[in-house]
Amino acid sequence: MAASICVNNPCKYCLVLTVDHSEAFLKTAGDLSIGYERFDTFPDFPQLNSSTKDGCAFCGLLRASCQSHCSYEQPLASSTDGKKPFKGIVQIYRAKVTSVGSGRGMTTLQFSIRPTDSAYDSSYLTTIYFNLYSCNDRPAESQIKQPQPLPTTLDPRNLQRITNWMEECKELHERCCMEKDPPCLPTRVIDVGPPDGSCDPRLYITHGITGVYAALSHCWGPSSTDQYKTFLSNIERSLEGMPMSELPQNFRDAIIVTRALGLRYLWIDSICIIQDSKDDWEVEIRKMGSIYGTAHLVIAATSSSSSSSGFLAREVKASVQMPLHSVNGSPLGQYCIRPQSRAGGGGWFQDIGMSPWNMRGWTLQERLLSRRVIHFTTEKIYFECCTTDSSEEGDITRDMPGELDTIMAPLELQHLLGLTKQISWIKEVDGNEAAARSAYNLWYTLVTMFSGRQLTFESDKFPAISGLAVEIGALLEDNYLFGLWLNDLVRGLMWQPNIINMSQGYPRVSKGGLRQAPSWSWAAYNGGVSYYSKALLRDSEGQSLRIIEVEPRTSGFTPPEMSSPAKLKVSGLLKQATIFRPGKIRGDKFRLVLDGETGGAWDNRVKINNEEVGDCSLDCRHPSSSGENVWLLKVMNKEQENTVNYGVPAGLILEEVDEGVFQRVGLFNLDSTQESIFDDEPYQEIRII
């Protein structure tokens, strides 16, 4: 459905928006400030309201955006827990026109908003964004040249665009090339029938034949009971046919897309895997790498939060048609302005990076194992492959607005599709050692990306990342241990909870109930974790912990539930200590005080012999203010200037649960003056469960 367009009679403030700033914009690096400043009163914004009644339609859009952003009805990625709505006089200023892609011209209009009351600090400064679109009468010299969104997702122009993307990728992208012959189809696929939809789709057992197919990546949604699934009891009926009316909207949309692109086969997880057959489920889960990796394309329901939501319907937004004239007053035609819902809206990070789909655990491996992904969002389609990105508006960049500076950046700022092929190239050029180092470091990035994502069932934690583990394991030829790797286990142990704002979609860490995971694995906890950066920079010369053995020696990529916890036998330097929580936070670097039984803040301290010697971070709780007795196990030396032997000690905080048997509870990081504190300690053999 097309958006409604309002004719505009600009007020005195908005007259500056009718000037074509193209000449000045071309002299900048894609960021031009324009003179716009006014004051109004929250929450009614009477000045903007009055201008709207007098015919300035843009003031109406600006008023609605200010009201929602200043009240935090639509939470910004930069907002923190507990922010209160604005009060009193609000300044609207710092207007700028910017570009979101090379050669795209002026694509975005933004304003800064802040309350003038001194009771509000700088954290309340926020930004609102509008998209700029050209009209049919746009003069050639104008830099407002972004085409307006198409009225329907599967407009013939979009279908041709997708076809062009696919052909260019297959013919010209060396990094995306696979075997020339069609691959073997997955065990089961959906035969979508002819393009005209004259036959219902049906489940089809392939018996190893080759063919071209698409795969769907989507969010199941909060209630999996509403999911359309294949069971042993209904598989025969599905083989005969599945009426479109019985399928959830995401599945119908995926079938429509598959037919429109001239493909016959589609793979959807809940239909193509028998959900109540443990044997079939385990076999098919191990094939995730090949299922998504050999698909002709992956259809991503990126804007959809559940199977019933659908992803082809376009979001209708009102827009304002603004007159345009040159700096000397000559009329040049018109252009359109449409509001963005949040910072970065209409760009890569908002539409994909911050989407409901990108917050789910399963979709990480579905995306990264793929060669090509078509993202369907509320306003446009995007194309992503191992080589390039694009959208229906043209080439894009992954430059990230400051408001979206989140832990997802490592994923969104680089091309990780076809990740195993990238490491294979490193292996060919630089050898096995360099490839292994890259593979381990990539794994730690993936753990950071994955652990903060949402899973409906905690038991899916290992399966939902197993496809990536299988691919990296094949390159490493290493033993997989509950989310870690045996030959890099010393570095792998040095994970820590993230302190991430809840508005960004990342839960804080809590103790999980996954019986397969030992305390030394990040998988034992629910919530986002990251890796202690100094640990990943340090080579084996700075590591003091010695791995003796692990029982069992490998967990498998989808570990079964165990009757007793896995045991890690190590030889290391141990020292008794006391950990405690100071009465107040210390320093600017500790920006967030966590409430309740939640860990992850480096504002706790360590004492040895009643002397403060360093910081500590507990995994899922804070120590008491009176102190708790623990053991420090040195793992490595942290890099530190003005120290002799690789820096100062860092490692695991342990609690003794039985004689010689410990469990992990956190990390420690000693002060720069404590370089030699472990020098007199003998190596001891212990077990960590």
Side-chain angles (χ1 to χ4, degrees):
M1 183 183 297
S4 60
I5 299 177
C6 300
V7 178
N8 190 38
N9 180 25
C11 67
K12 64 178 182 179
Y13 294 101
C14 295
L15 282 175
V16 69
L17 304 179
T18 69
V19 179
D20 185 17
H21 300 282
S22 297
E23 185 176 349
F25 178 80
L26 289 172
K27 297 176 181 178
T28 72
D31 189 324
L32 175 68
S33 296
I34 57 177
Y36 191 107
E37 181 182 28
R38 67 195 301 172
F39 296 86
D40 213 331
T41 306
F42 180 85
D44 292 331
F45 291 92
Q47 301 299 322
L48 286 171
N49 191 37
S50 176
S51 293
T52 303
K53 292 178 179 179
D54 289 339
C56 184
F58 178 71
C59 280
L61 292 186
L62 183 59
R63 178 174 181 257
S65 294
C66 288
Q67 286 178 319
S68 64
H69 283 70
C70 295
S71 63
Y72 300 104
E73 292 174 0
Q74 298 179 9
L76 295 174
S78 61
S79 66
T80 56
D81 292 339
K83 265 196 172 179
K84 56 187 178 182
F86 287 13
K87 286 184 179 179
I89 305 299
V90 173
Q91 182 183 18
I92 306 168
Y93 69 124
R94 289 184 184 174
K96 293 197 299 184
V97 286
T98 61
S99 178
V100 296
S102 176
R104 296 277 299 280
M106 298 185 290
T107 59
T108 308
L109 170 67
Q110 65 183 65
F111 299 86
S112 294
I113 316 171
R114 70 176 184 90
T116 58
D117 193 318
S118 60
Y120 295 86
D121 60 28
S122 60
S123 70
Y124 280 85
L125 176 68
T126 191
T127 308
I128 57 175
Y129 297 81
F130 298 84
N131 290 329
L132 308 180
Y133 297 104
S134 64
C135 294
N136 293 333
D137 59 351
R138 177 188 68 86
E141 65 272 14
S142 175
Q143 286 299 302
I144 302 176
K145 53 187 180 181
Q146 181 171 236
Q148 295 188 60
L150 295 173
T152 59
T153 301
L154 295 185
D155 183 285
R157 288 166 287 182
N158 265 350
L159 291 175
Q160 185 60 53
R161 185 173 284 117
I162 294 173
T163 300
N164 294 343
W165 285 335
M166 301 297 295
E167 291 301 320
E168 179 181 332
C169 181
K170 287 192 299 178
E171 299 298 328
L172 302 179
H173 294 171
E174 181 182 356
R175 296 174 63 186
C176 306
C177 290
M178 297 286 284
E179 64 278 354
K180 296 298 181 182
D181 297 327
C184 288
L185 291 173
T187 306
R188 302 174 198 88
V189 292
I190 299 166
D191 181 347
V192 301
D196 62 7
S198 56
C199 296
D200 282 333
R202 65 186 181 94
L203 187 62
Y204 176 61
I205 300 175
T206 63
H207 299 294
I209 67 170
T210 61
V212 177
Y213 67 98
L216 175 66
S217 177
H218 67 114
C219 300
W220 282 34
S223 176
S224 63
T225 57
D226 297 334
Q227 187 66 261
Y228 190 97
K229 303 174 185 176
T230 294
F231 297 109
L232 292 169
S233 59
N234 67 4
I235 187 170
E236 292 299 327
R237 180 171 178 262
S238 296
L239 290 169
E240 294 175 1
M242 298 178 291
M244 287 283 276
S245 60
E246 296 182 6
L247 299 176
Q249 191 62 52
N250 273 3
F251 295 7
R252 288 184 236 169
D253 286 353
I255 290 168
I256 291 169
V257 171
T258 304
R259 288 171 173 170
L261 295 177
L263 300 178
R264 186 74 188 228
Y265 301 117
L266 172 66
W267 190 89
I268 299 178
D269 49 8
S270 67
I271 293 179
C272 297
I273 300 175
I274 303 174
Q275 298 297 307
D276 58 349
S277 170
K278 181 180 179 182
D279 291 341
D280 188 68
W281 195 83
E282 290 180 349
V283 167
E284 296 302 312
I285 288 297
R286 287 196 291 269
K287 297 178 181 177
M288 284 293 172
S290 64
I291 289 172
Y292 283 94
T294 61
H296 183 65
L297 79 156
V298 170
I299 299 167
T302 309
S303 61
S304 176
S305 58
S306 71
S307 290
S308 61
S309 302
F311 58 85
L312 289 181
R314 296 231 144 163
E315 183 176 299
V316 178
K317 287 186 178 179
S319 64
V320 166
Q321 204 166 69
M322 185 74 74
L324 187 67
H325 59 76
S326 66
V327 291
N328 61 14
S330 302
L332 296 176
Q334 297 179 322
Y335 72 99
C336 285
I337 306 179
R338 294 176 64 196
Q340 292 181 3
S341 57
R342 291 192 294 179
W348 183 275
F349 272 87
Q350 181 59 51
D351 288 347
I352 296 175
M354 299 295 288
S355 67
W357 172 86
N358 206 39
M359 298 294 181
R360 298 299 300 175
W362 282 96
T363 59
L364 178 69
Q365 69 176 7
E366 293 168 4
R367 178 182 182 185
L368 299 190
L369 293 169
S370 305
R371 289 180 289 166
R372 308 177 192 96
V373 181
I374 305 292
H375 293 280
F376 290 84
T377 72
T378 55
E379 295 187 12
K380 65 182 80 106
I381 57 171
Y382 292 84
F383 175 74
E384 176 183 20
C385 69
C386 304
T387 305
T388 190
D389 308 316
S390 193
S391 80
E392 66 182 75
E393 295 172 348
D395 294 334
I396 63 172
T397 65
R398 297 196 184 195
D399 295 337
M400 181 173 59
E403 291 82 356
L404 301 180
D405 186 9
T406 75
I407 202 160
M408 287 180 289
L411 175 62
E412 297 303 336
L413 289 177
Q414 55 189 305
H415 293 280
L416 292 180
L417 270 66
L419 60 94
T420 54
K421 180 171 285 190
Q422 296 180 45
I423 296 173
S424 295
W425 289 329
I426 296 173
K427 194 172 186 178
E428 292 175 8
V429 175
D430 298 324
N432 292 346
E433 184 176 345
R437 189 182 310 116
S438 296
Y440 287 129
N441 288 340
L442 175 59
W443 179 254
Y444 300 131
T445 298
L446 296 178
V447 167
T448 301
M449 298 297 102
F450 174 76
S451 59
R453 291 174 172 236
Q454 301 158 1
L455 289 168
T456 302
F457 303 105
E458 188 180 2
S459 58
D460 284 348
K461 186 174 292 183
F462 286 123
I465 199 173
S466 62
L468 292 170
V470 167
E471 296 291 306
I472 291 182
L475 290 167
L476 289 171
E477 298 180 0
D478 195 358
N479 288 336
Y480 186 69
L481 294 165
F482 309 99
L484 305 175
W485 299 98
L486 179 60
N487 292 338
D488 201 42
L489 193 52
V490 172
R491 291 202 310 160
L493 294 171
M494 295 296 284
W495 53 268
Q496 64 181 2
N498 287 328
I499 306 173
I500 297 296
N501 191 313
M502 288 293 287
S503 70
Q504 296 175 354
Y506 283 89
R508 296 168 184 161
V509 172
S510 61
K511 181 66 175 174
L514 199 63
R515 294 185 60 184
Q516 296 96 315
S519 70
W520 40 270
S521 167
W522 56 268
Y525 300 86
N526 293 330
V529 304
S530 59
Y531 268 85
Y532 188 47
S533 60
K534 297 296 183 182
L536 301 186
L537 295 173
R538 173 57 57 209
D539 59 24
S540 59
E541 291 179 315
Q543 298 174 0
S544 57
L545 187 66
R546 301 166 185 170
I547 306 297
I548 299 175
E549 65 179 359
V550 184
E551 301 174 7
R553 189 169 177 80
T554 181
S555 65
F557 295 110
T558 53
E561 190 169 300
M562 303 173 65
S563 57
S564 59
K567 299 178 179 64
L568 172 62
K569 186 177 182 181
V570 301
S571 177
L573 304 175
L574 276 174
K575 206 166 187 69
Q576 280 191 298
T578 302
I579 56 174
F580 68 100
R581 186 177 190 184
K584 61 180 181 179
I585 209 159
R586 302 173 299 103
D588 292 339
K589 67 177 180 177
F590 307 116
R591 295 188 300 273
L592 182 64
V593 180
L594 302 181
D595 297 323
E597 293 297 301
T598 310
W602 284 93
D603 59 336
N604 302 313
R605 292 290 284 170
V606 180
K607 282 184 180 180
I608 295 179
N609 297 327
N610 215 31
E611 176 189 357
E612 289 192 31
V613 295
D615 299 322
C616 67
S617 170
L618 295 195
D619 295 333
C620 56
R621 62 181 178 84
H622 282 299
S624 67
S625 57
S626 59
E628 300 176 25
N629 294 326
V630 295
W631 291 86
L632 308 183
L633 175 65
K634 182 182 176 185
V635 173
M636 52 163 280
N637 289 316
K638 184 191 74 162
E639 290 186 72
Q640 184 76 37
E641 294 182 4
N642 304 320
T643 54
V644 181
N645 296 317
Y646 307 112
V648 296
L652 305 184
I653 303 173
L654 305 176
E655 287 182 342
E656 191 167 19
V657 295
D658 202 350
E659 185 175 355
V661 180
F662 298 80
Q663 66 180 7
R664 171 191 159 130
V665 294
L667 292 183
F668 72 87
N669 172 21
L670 297 190
D671 297 337
S672 59
T673 57
Q674 306 299 324
E675 180 183 7
S676 59
I677 198 166
F678 281 90
D679 286 0
D680 295 331
E681 298 298 329
Y683 271 83
Q684 300 181 52
E685 290 187 6
I686 63 169
R687 283 184 170 83
I688 310 174
I689 60 173

